[in-house]
Amino acid sequence: VQHLKELGVFILKLHAHDWEHNALLEKVKKDRGYNYWDVATLGPGMIDEYEAKVKYFFTQHLHAHEELKFILG
């Protein structure tokens, strides 16, 4: 985690059961101008080519905007 922070990654820990109604997350979205997000539910057998999709989500790629990732483990 420290290495990610040193790279400039903003890290926020949230509880998985109530993230949709979290005031801190709402404040971060507002302060940083996040106006779009999506939710991906992935698991073996849930989507085609599951292993390839998981690898893709963890590869570095660039967007014109900041990207918010919320990972449940």
Side-chain angles (χ1 to χ4, degrees), residues 7-69:
L7 293 173
V9 175
F10 175 75
I11 298 172
L12 177 66
K13 276 189 156 182
L14 302 172
H15 293 284
H17 68 278
D18 68 350
W19 69 271
E20 293 178 288
H21 307 288
N22 185 286
L24 180 56
L25 177 59
E26 292 303 317
K27 180 178 180 345
V28 168
K29 290 189 315 189
K30 181 179 177 187
D31 291 351
R32 296 178 77 94
Y34 298 152
N35 58 13
Y36 174 81
W37 59 90
D38 59 7
V39 177
T41 303
L42 304 175
M46 296 176 75
I47 61 170
D48 293 335
E49 301 180 29
Y50 168 75
E51 293 296 330
K53 296 284 186 191
V54 169
K55 286 179 184 177
Y56 172 77
F57 280 124
F58 288 97
T59 60
Q60 182 177 5
H61 54 279
L62 302 176
H63 295 277
H65 56 277
E66 285 190 10
E67 184 175 50
L68 177 63
K69 293 223 182 213

